[in-house]
Amino acid sequence: MKRLPALLMVLVLAVSFVFSSCRNREDKEPDGTKSSVSDTEEGDEKRPDTWIADRQLSVKVFMMAENVLPSDQVNNPVAQEIKKRTGITMVYDTIKTTDEDQEMTLYLASGDFHDLMLTGTLHTTSPMFPIVIKAAREGMFTDIVPLIKDTAILGKYLEKGYLPIQARDDIIFREEFGDKAYILQLGVERPGSQRAAWIAGIDTYVREDIAKALDVDISQIKTQDQLYEFAKKIKDGNFKDKNGNPLYPIGAHLFGNSDSDPERMSYLWRNWDFGNRSGFDYDGNVVKHVAFTDYVYKRIGFVRKLLAEGLLHREAFSIASTRTQEDIANGSYAMTSMHVHSQTWDTGAEQWAKENPGKRYIPVGPMLNYKGEVARTAKIEANDCLMIPKTTKNPEEVIKFIDFMASREGKLLWQYGLEGKHYEEKDSKIYPKEWVMNDLVEAPKTLIDEGFIAAGGIWGNIGGTDYAPVEDFGQYWFGELVDNTKWAFGESLLKIIAPEVKYVSGYAPEGVLQGYENEMTLKPVIDAFDDAFVKAVFAGSMDEARDIMETYKSQLKKAGIDDFCELLQKQDEKEPGIIIFYLSS
Amino acid sequence: MAGRIIRTSKVEWIFQIVNNVVMVLLIMSVVMPFLHILALSLNNGIDAIRGGIYFVPRAFTFSNYNEVFTNSNVINAYGITIFRTVTGTLLSLFFSSMAAFALKSKTLPGKNGITMMIFFTSLFSGGLIPFYILLRSLELLDTVWVFIIPSIYSTWNIIIMRTFFNNIDVGIEESGKIDGCNEFSLLFRIILPLSKPVLAVVGLFVAVGHWNDWFSGAFFVRKQNLVPIQTLLQQMLMSQEALDRIIKESGGASGYIFKRQVTGESLKMATIIVATAPIVCVYPFIQRYFVKGFMIGAVKG
Amino acid sequence: MKVFDDRRKLHREILRHWMLYIMLVPCVVWFIIFAYVPMTGLLLAFKEFHFTKGILESPWVGFKYFENFFNYFERDILIRNTLVIGFFKTVVAFPFPVVFALMLNEVRSSGFKKLTQTVSYLPHFISWAVVAALLMRLLAPDTGLINQVKGIWGLDKSTFYLMEEKYFYSIMFFSHLWKTIGWDSIIYLAAISGINPELYEAAIIDGAKKLKQVWHITIPSIKFTMGIILIMSIGNIIKTGFEQVYLLRTPGNMRVADILDTYVIRVGIQQGEYGYATAIGLLTGLVALFMVIFTNKVCKKYFEVYIW
């Protein structure tokens, strides 16, 4: 015990050594991979108007994307062209895990920064979001407002009505930062531009042969009762799957639900999808959480009935996607649920559709939502985010470069490559060459190495904003003008299930919860809704199910749900429509 | 080996039968899942989605292994892993055995305090942030030593070694002292040669720890040429799984259309085999130190 | 007490063992640098971490995180589940590798023995994610192997094992055992191999039966190893590790499966609250420390096995 004081002394010394030395390092000259200050080169060679500066731009990317970067980031054809036009060489440095928030934390705590930081899609609910905001609050990033003021593309961010509301209020121009902005969110679509055929959305599908055999007009299935009757008919029809086993009348979602994504389950209760995706909505004229409405018991009752009568796959709420895909590939589900494009991509549904052309899955309904409508809603959002650390020299050059990359000229380079080599242009429409379309399927990495993004890369995407692909290039997806087969089937389905799509801009109630004083207590309880729901579904009796739900409701009350609902209502009344309560699945 | 002829009683016969049956069951419970994994790893990933593969691949292919071995960094990554495993294990054994030997002494003043100080660290951790800052200020980041130095000691290894050293007959030690050995030569000439089983065990644990560690390669080095094999495998796996996820979340419609033979799931199976096979091959060499009666040769011979 | 005498003796002992101290120097230095210095991170349990200010200069927040935790409505359930699961995995599972090593030791054919041993430790190399996926297949209602076998015997084959609370602990326990028994037995095999064969020979001459040999020679010889491993692992009763439980959790068994580690992952780290996670880590560390000290005392007193 005598040596304890001595030991402590050593400890204190060691601690102060470590943490003091880390402060000294900030003055050190960053090594070669970091920013090199722009040279003001004299040279009388003619420079293009797009010239910015002769420098390297290092980008720290918080996405695990090492293998979708060009093997040579400096000398690939597109990089050389970019260098010729702007003087800038762009070097991405990615992370090695999918644990982006952990990586971001270590990065910010360590104090060695690149010229630019790039994250993947950022919402208020992303785990990374509080970390980025925290760093912004601590003044670690450069204010972008004065820098984008005079730029052609990014300057539009300051115009009214350009940005989606969520990107504007929750991410870029947050109230707390006053007239400053530290985060540049990308993925904004140019207002008025033509959108892709609506792609998200989970619906109920049925095997075509079964629907035909039963002679049911599936487009007339609109209510839960009709769905139930249909499922019963399937069960009585004694259909078999490929291996001769009896079918599940209603199977699990194509990707199962082992990752507890509540959104995937709403195909079971479309009629009662109050507060879909957010949990909150107006019941009459009061904002309520779905647990406090009657819908929750309707859902529980319905699912329990399906289970009791053997109409629903018993593991629908917990099964892993490997097993569901296997089941669907064997045609074991009469009805299932999936995306419109699922039968044309690497999934079990594709395998089934390929091998059994007359038996593929076709949409049921569309069923009505809780308002009794078929209307589809989709949210306009932005995605990736850029931050310029305070340590970056000449940040105006960085912004200018991003602006170049976001222009049509820049986008052509990183999205379509070089004219003549990779594509031809006719009437402002872009036609990728045949070998490019071929490599896209057969050898995607060679395309990535050429320096453009088509084959699933990310290199160059710092210019990924002000999107209007149809107006700019004549097509929404890369190469759609040359070959549309991959999308055709999905789009034909869309005409049935989503004849009309309503686009909304605003933010989800979770956005209000983020930063709410009571967040730490309330959020875990709100998140526990799906667990409580499933517990109730599998409870021994309906009374027990009610007990579980009522206990959960009392926990919600204790955690302060009423105050939060009131806050939501107040905010919504202040600026109607800005909070998006309901989004269709 | 004299004295082997023992009359086996009925009870012992029954015991032997039961014992062997239990062992066979255990072997089956392990071998069957492994055969399943092996079959999946040798099957086309896209085909495997259809299921129904148990112990024999249906659409036989090496594409999952190709995916692993055509990566340009894989040879280098194996090199890094082998280097860190060999160097790390030797250094760990060297330093831990000294510490364990010193702490074994019954009369060493301060021994309990130091033991406690070592043990204490196994219960508390300050988290990743200070550790990262520490490695940074020691300039260990982005060097191969970041895999070795921070894992030289572990509480568990030191204490296990100490326990085994304690079991060694005191008489041997005393006779060593009478022969004029100092404490260094006592450890290296007498104690360690008698401790091959524990060196084998601790060596195995340290080596497997080094072999399996993907975390430090992912967080503490940035240069791709310093990445050990497990980190590389993890990276490949995650990027396949990221593709799977894109297909899951957007129904795949984000626009990229390439042919895959590999899925996250099938690659995962191949990586298990790739990561396990070398260690399985090494084990028999270690195993011979665990044979009963091994020690007798060491003492008498 | 003869203080002077003691002190003189102490100095003499220190001088006599100077070589041992030299052997310990790298160890102590290493533990200070790589274990104690990063422990400054524990301060975050009482601070609000600022990137720019670093750990030492971030502002204090007192016991805020601890209060948050103690006000959490499911606190008691979390603690209870953690202790139950930890008890199963450390105390109940403890004798199994020992018994396995003893049984393996009695296998007569040396080829079969080596094979069993090699095979038994393979599960150590499969990640929990893969084990959990296999388990879910095995235990699925109607289609899973277990239920299929039950079906052959004419029993109800619709049991949804993973959705029912009462099966969770056995699933967890046996899968844990399967994955660890071979690996954990290695250390005992090594200990057994260190036993002097003359002891057995003497016993055989005395006419001792196999069981008696095991009871009177083998077990006493590996007593220390067993004791030390028990003491060292006892802290894991509260530090259960999260992967296995996290992967086997379903809404149906959540009430018995939610533990501190899964909670920390869910709440602490995902919301960027390092302080909260650190605070819970500190609490569990303290509890574990108390448990280990207690076990060490008891073992020292009754079995003469101890770490310090």
Side-chain angles (χ1 to χ4, degrees):
Chain A
M1 284 294 129
K2 292 243 171 61
R3 259 172 310 284
L4 198 64
L7 216 72
L8 279 176
M9 270 296 280
V10 176
L11 202 64
V12 169
L13 277 174
V15 168
S16 51
F17 161 72
V18 165
F19 291 92
S20 62
S21 64
C22 97
R23 201 148 305 128
N24 291 342
R25 287 246 321 216
E26 272 158 38
D27 307 330
K28 263 193 192 169
E29 199 57 42
D31 55 42
T33 58
K34 298 290 154 49
S35 67
S36 54
V37 188
S38 55
D39 294 291
T40 39
E41 236 179 81
E42 293 124 55
D44 44 2
E45 50 180 306
K46 260 192 218 142
R47 277 171 175 167
D49 304 337
T50 45
W51 186 266
I52 297 167
D54 184 10
R55 74 181 273 182
Q56 197 180 64
L57 184 78
S58 58
V59 187
K60 177 75 179 183
V61 185
F62 291 91
M63 286 181 247
M64 205 208 61
E66 187 84 36
N67 58 339
V68 293
L69 290 180
S71 310
D72 187 340
Q73 296 193 49
V74 179
N75 292 316
N76 66 64
V78 172
Q80 283 175 329
E81 190 60 32
I82 293 175
K83 171 95 184 155
K84 212 159 84 190
R85 296 196 203 172
T86 64
I88 288 178
T89 313
M90 170 176 64
V91 180
Y92 275 35
D93 185 5
T94 64
I95 57 175
K96 292 189 167 59
T97 67
T98 45
D99 201 349
E100 292 111 0
D101 36 327
Q102 184 90 276
E103 297 266 9
M104 169 83 76
T105 305
L106 289 183
Y107 183 76
L108 290 170
S110 78
D112 288 329
F113 299 132
H114 295 62
D115 291 335
L116 196 55
M117 291 166 64
L118 169 67
T119 72
T121 301
L122 206 63
H123 295 312
T124 42
T125 46
S126 323
M128 226 189 326
F129 180 77
I131 304 169
V132 173
I133 289 297
K134 189 178 165 70
R137 281 184 196 138
E138 290 180 26
M140 300 176 86
F141 304 139
T142 305
D143 175 20
I144 56 167
V145 176
L147 302 175
I148 64 174
K149 238 176 210 157
D150 302 316
T151 53
I153 313 283
L154 299 179
K156 296 191 212 168
Y157 275 43
L158 299 167
E159 288 168 17
K160 233 185 172 177
Y162 179 79
L163 290 174
I165 288 168
Q166 179 176 323
R168 188 194 68 194
D169 291 0
D170 273 355
I171 312 273
I172 307 176
F173 299 106
R174 288 174 70 84
E175 221 176 355
E176 60 178 308
F177 298 138
D179 53 0
K180 292 189 167 67
Y182 300 104
I183 303 167
L184 184 71
Q185 194 167 26
L186 303 172
V188 178
E189 53 177 35
R190 197 181 301 156
S193 62
Q194 197 180 319
R195 297 190 170 101
W198 182 73
I199 51 159
I202 292 161
D203 284 271
T204 315
Y205 288 74
V206 64
R207 259 172 58 179
E208 197 172 3
D209 57 321
I210 292 177
K212 278 215 179 99
L214 291 173
D215 197 24
V216 174
D217 182 0
I218 49 170
S219 69
Q220 288 313 307
I221 296 177
K222 304 263 175 211
T223 66
Q224 300 302 140
D225 283 342
Q226 286 166 335
L227 187 76
Y228 168 73
E229 291 302 326
F230 185 44
K232 262 177 81 165
K233 265 190 198 160
I234 295 173
K235 191 178 162 90
D236 296 340
N238 279 323
F239 295 97
K240 298 271 187 285
D241 70 3
K242 207 169 87 180
N243 305 324
N245 296 322
L247 293 178
Y248 296 93
I250 304 179
H253 182 277
L254 170 61
F255 295 121
N257 201 30
S258 61
D259 32 6
S260 312
D261 182 353
E263 219 191 291
R264 279 199 207 132
M265 304 316 293
S266 62
Y267 71 100
L268 293 174
W269 53 77
R270 187 58 37 90
N271 281 185
W272 307 308
D273 63 351
F274 176 92
N276 198 32
R277 296 224 239 166
S278 79
F280 298 89
D281 205 343
Y282 277 95
D283 188 28
N285 43 20
V286 190
V287 172
K288 278 187 186 167
H289 186 267
V290 60
F292 292 92
T293 64
D294 213 24
Y295 295 109
V296 74
Y297 286 119
K298 283 183 177 158
R299 291 183 194 176
I300 294 173
F302 185 69
V303 178
R304 287 179 65 89
K305 186 164 77 172
L306 292 179
L307 284 173
E309 299 183 22
L311 299 175
L312 175 64
H313 194 306
R314 303 237 302 147
E315 292 175 271
F317 290 91
S318 59
I319 194 166
S321 79
T322 42
R323 286 178 55 211
T324 48
Q325 295 200 57
E326 184 178 320
D327 285 348
I328 289 176
N330 291 315
S332 305
Y333 301 161
M335 280 190 262
T336 179
S337 135
M338 58 177 106
H339 289 282
V340 284
H341 288 295
S342 296
Q343 289 177 79
T344 43
W345 298 87
D346 295 346
T347 66
E350 187 204 12
Q351 305 236 349
W352 172 256
K354 239 195 306 196
E355 286 174 19
N356 307 277
K359 296 181 179 177
R360 63 170 157 198
Y361 287 92
I362 51 170
V364 174
M367 290 179 61
L368 306 174
N369 69 2
Y370 81 105
K371 292 177 186 158
E373 303 164 340
V374 184
R376 297 287 177 164
T377 48
K379 195 159 119 192
I380 308 170
E381 312 176 284
N383 50 39
D384 302 355
C385 284
L386 286 173
M387 282 83 62
I388 306 177
K390 267 270 165 67
T391 45
T392 304
K393 307 254 165 67
N394 301 339
E396 69 284 353
E397 293 171 359
V398 179
I399 288 290
K400 264 191 206 159
F401 182 66
I402 297 168
D403 202 59
F404 168 79
M405 295 293 269
S407 67
R408 182 173 188 272
E409 186 186 350
K411 276 195 194 117
L412 259 180
L413 282 172
W414 60 266
Q415 289 185 3
Y416 286 87
L418 305 175
E419 185 165 12
K421 183 168 189 208
H422 300 118
Y423 67 86
E424 298 295 344
E425 185 168 351
K426 268 177 242 145
D427 309 325
S428 316
K429 289 189 169 127
I430 308 299
Y431 298 86
K433 296 236 171 159
E434 204 171 303
W435 70 269
V436 170
M437 293 305 286
N438 197 46
D439 274 5
L440 199 57
V441 180
E442 301 293 339
K445 181 69 176 146
T446 56
L447 286 190
I448 291 173
D449 282 345
E450 292 280 307
F452 62 103
I453 218 168
I458 57 160
W459 189 78
N461 66 349
I462 55 172
T465 194
D466 193 47
Y467 276 122
V470 182
E471 286 74 5
D472 282 353
F473 311 121
Q475 59 211 307
Y476 196 87
W477 305 114
F478 180 92
E480 217 181 340
L481 278 177
V482 182
D483 178 8
N484 182 33
T485 46
K486 201 74 184 178
W487 291 277
F489 175 66
E491 279 165 20
S492 74
L493 295 185
L494 278 172
K495 290 195 181 101
I496 306 170
I497 56 173
E500 206 181 327
V501 182
K502 198 173 125 205
Y503 286 87
V504 289
S505 182
Y507 44 79
E510 295 99 278
V512 183
L513 184 59
Q514 203 279 323
Y516 175 59
E517 47 175 345
N518 202 11
E519 187 193 0
M520 276 294 278
T521 337
L522 192 53
K523 192 173 185 307
V525 192
I526 292 179
D527 288 346
F529 171 73
D530 300 305
D531 296 334
F533 179 83
V534 179
K535 263 187 233 172
V537 162
F538 286 93
S541 66
M542 192 63 199
D543 285 340
E544 220 176 284
R546 261 175 209 283
D547 275 352
I548 290 169
M549 235 334 122
E550 292 304 321
T551 316
Y552 173 71
K553 278 156 77 171
S554 67
Q555 283 164 0
L556 264 181
K557 278 228 188 275
K558 245 194 262 165
I561 192 81
D562 292 339
D563 292 345
F564 183 64
C565 284
E566 224 168 272
L567 176 77
L568 282 175
Q569 188 153 357
K570 247 186 233 159
Q571 290 216 357
D572 187 60
E573 278 159 9
K574 208 167 69 187
E575 222 178 323
I578 208 156
I579 298 179
I580 301 170
F581 290 108
Y582 175 85
L583 265 183
S584 65
S585 285
Chain B
M1 289 283 152
R4 272 280 150 183
I5 314 135
I6 316 154
R7 227 179 293 138
T8 28
S9 67
K10 224 178 204 164
V11 184
E12 273 188 38
W13 266 112
I14 294 169
F15 169 78
Q16 277 299 335
I17 290 167
V18 171
N19 196 16
N20 283 319
V21 168
V22 169
M23 294 299 157
V24 169
L25 287 179
L26 190 104
I27 289 180
M28 276 166 58
S29 81
V30 177
V31 167
M32 276 162 46
F34 256 90
L35 282 179
H36 180 58
I37 290 168
L38 189 67
L40 283 174
S41 77
L42 288 168
N43 200 83
N44 181 310
I46 302 292
D47 174 80
I49 291 174
R50 279 161 51 203
I53 297 162
Y54 298 105
F55 303 112
V56 184
R58 179 175 50 221
F60 184 86
T61 173
F62 280 117
S63 58
N64 295 306
Y65 292 95
N66 274 347
E67 180 78 15
V68 174
F69 288 106
T70 51
N71 187 303
S72 54
N73 285 314
V74 79
I75 302 292
N76 186 52
Y78 262 115
I80 296 283
T81 296
I82 291 169
F83 173 77
R84 67 175 283 190
T85 305
V86 173
T87 318
T89 307
L90 291 178
L91 286 177
S92 272
L93 287 180
F94 178 73
F95 284 108
S96 309
S97 59
M98 285 201 302
F101 178 67
L103 292 175
K104 152 191 174 327
S105 159
K106 290 230 157 51
T107 50
L108 186 76
K111 171 196 76 152
N112 276 354
I114 295 176
T115 311
M116 218 161 161
M117 169 202 151
I118 290 174
F119 189 80
F120 190 77
T121 60
S122 68
L123 297 175
F124 296 94
S125 132
L128 200 53
I129 300 174
F131 194 64
Y132 186 84
I133 295 176
L134 171 80
L135 294 177
R136 188 170 154 280
S137 55
L138 293 173
E139 311 216 349
L140 280 174
L141 290 180
D142 253 336
T143 66
V144 76
W145 300 107
V146 78
F147 302 131
I148 293 169
I149 295 175
S151 58
I152 280 189
Y153 288 102
S154 99
T155 306
W156 206 87
N157 294 343
I158 295 174
I159 290 177
I160 284 297
M161 276 187 155
R162 193 193 69 171
T163 311
F164 274 74
F165 289 167
N166 268 335
N167 282 347
I168 290 175
D169 200 352
V170 190
I172 297 170
E173 218 175 298
E174 290 304 319
S175 64
K177 271 185 192 159
I178 291 162
D179 288 350
C181 285
N182 64 27
E183 277 155 332
F184 269 100
S185 49
L186 195 62
L187 170 64
F188 290 105
R189 293 241 190 91
I190 296 179
I191 301 289
L192 286 189
L194 282 177
S195 305
K196 280 179 189 148
V198 72
L199 290 179
V201 171
V202 173
L204 179 72
F205 287 168
V206 176
V208 168
H210 272 290
W211 185 269
N212 279 347
D213 170 41
W214 64 272
F215 187 87
S216 48
F219 283 94
F220 303 145
V221 297
R222 200 182 283 161
K223 294 182 197 143
Q224 194 68 19
N225 64 0
L226 282 177
V227 164
I229 188 74
Q230 291 283 9
T231 311
L232 194 71
L233 291 178
Q234 195 75 13
Q235 266 178 287
M236 289 184 214
L237 201 60
M238 283 183 191
S239 54
Q240 277 301 334
E241 283 174 345
L243 270 180
D244 291 353
R245 207 161 37 241
I246 289 173
I247 291 172
K248 270 189 200 176
E249 275 165 15
S250 64
S254 48
Y256 310 118
I257 336 162
F258 42 87
K259 257 192 211 160
R260 293 199 298 168
Q261 289 202 304
V262 172
T263 61
E265 203 57 37
S266 67
L267 191 64
K268 194 192 283 171
M269 302 304 161
T271 53
I272 291 175
I273 302 293
V274 171
T276 316
I279 286 283
V280 176
C281 296
V282 166
Y283 192 58
F285 296 99
I286 298 168
Q287 205 176 23
R288 62 200 190 93
Y289 294 109
F290 302 154
V291 178
K292 191 161 112 182
F294 168 79
M295 293 290 294
I296 193 160
V299 180
K300 285 184 180 166
Chain C
M1 287 262 156
K2 293 167 277 174
V3 181
F4 276 109
D5 223 30
D6 277 1
R7 186 163 286 181
R8 280 249 295 281
K9 226 169 117 192
L10 184 71
H11 283 189
R12 220 175 38 236
E13 279 293 304
I14 292 176
L15 279 177
R16 199 162 70 89
H17 289 302
W18 65 273
M19 270 187 178
L20 293 184
Y21 285 111
I22 287 182
M23 290 184 188
L24 273 175
V25 165
C27 174
V28 171
V29 170
W30 186 94
F31 272 95
I32 288 175
I33 295 178
F34 288 98
Y36 282 92
V37 170
M39 269 193 211
T40 38
L42 288 173
L43 291 175
L44 289 182
F46 310 95
K47 287 183 161 210
E48 194 196 319
F49 180 59
H50 280 220
F51 294 119
T52 42
K53 289 185 181 145
I55 292 165
L56 296 181
E57 279 152 53
S58 288
W60 296 94
V61 294
F63 287 91
K64 185 179 128 191
Y65 303 121
F66 296 90
E67 278 164 25
N68 273 348
F69 175 69
F70 282 109
N71 289 331
Y72 180 57
F73 72 99
E74 278 187 326
R75 175 201 65 202
D76 295 341
I77 298 178
L78 285 181
I79 294 174
R80 189 198 77 102
N81 292 344
T82 307
L83 291 177
V84 171
I85 292 176
F87 182 76
F88 269 110
K89 280 167 74 164
T90 44
V91 180
V92 182
F94 171 73
F96 285 84
V98 182
V99 172
F100 177 68
L102 292 174
M103 283 169 79
L104 196 63
N105 203 37
E106 296 308 322
V107 172
R108 293 217 175 135
S109 148
S110 88
F112 184 57
K113 190 176 183 173
K114 277 185 179 157
L115 177 77
T116 318
Q117 201 188 329
T118 310
V119 165
S120 70
Y121 90 132
L122 286 181
H124 178 78
F125 293 92
I126 316 180
S127 69
W128 270 115
V130 175
V131 176
L134 290 172
L135 263 180
M136 283 177 185
R137 246 172 223 277
L138 218 58
L139 298 170
D142 306 320
T143 54
L145 185 68
I146 306 269
N147 274 311
Q148 295 270 356
V149 171
K150 274 167 79 184
I152 294 169
W153 288 73
L155 298 164
D156 168 37
K157 56 176 201 166
S158 67
T159 318
F160 200 164
Y161 292 101
L162 281 166
M163 260 312 163
E164 290 188 40
E165 285 175 9
K166 60 181 170 192
Y167 298 113
F168 178 74
Y169 289 138
S170 17
I171 294 170
M172 185 224 54
F173 178 71
F174 285 109
S175 57
H176 170 81
L177 209 57
W178 178 79
K179 201 165 177 310
T180 56
I181 190 167
W183 184 253
D184 289 352
S185 70
I186 292 178
I187 189 91
Y188 299 113
L189 287 171
I192 292 171
S193 73
I195 300 171
N196 189 346
E198 284 166 4
L199 290 175
Y200 291 105
E201 277 159 26
I204 290 165
I205 291 164
D206 287 352
K209 288 268 160 53
K210 260 274 132 68
L211 196 68
K212 261 201 169 143
Q213 291 175 29
V214 170
W215 191 251
H216 290 292
I217 301 170
T218 318
I219 291 183
S221 306
I222 62 172
K223 184 181 86 173
F224 280 99
T225 315
M226 285 166 63
I228 293 290
I229 287 179
L230 182 68
I231 298 171
M232 278 200 290
S233 62
I234 211 80
N236 291 343
I237 287 183
I238 193 138
K239 292 169 164 283
T240 25
F242 97 107
E243 227 192 332
Q244 178 197 15
V245 174
Y246 184 79
L247 288 163
L248 291 176
R249 232 171 30 148
T250 65
N253 61 33
M254 183 85 76
R255 215 169 52 92
V256 293
D258 214 5
I259 58 174
L260 288 171
D261 287 327
T262 52
Y263 173 69
V264 166
I265 294 286
R266 206 169 61 234
V267 184
I269 293 164
Q270 280 180 3
Q271 294 177 17
E273 288 281 356
Y274 325 105
Y276 199 63
T278 316
I280 294 179
L282 188 59
L283 274 180
T284 54
L286 287 173
V287 175
L289 184 65
F290 173 78
M291 286 175 169
V292 173
I293 290 176
F294 178 77
T295 318
N296 193 50
K297 269 239 163 78
V298 171
C299 287
K300 194 171 186 172
K301 193 164 174 195
Y302 295 103
F303 305 104
E304 287 163 19
V305 178
Y306 52 89
I307 293 182
W308 60 79

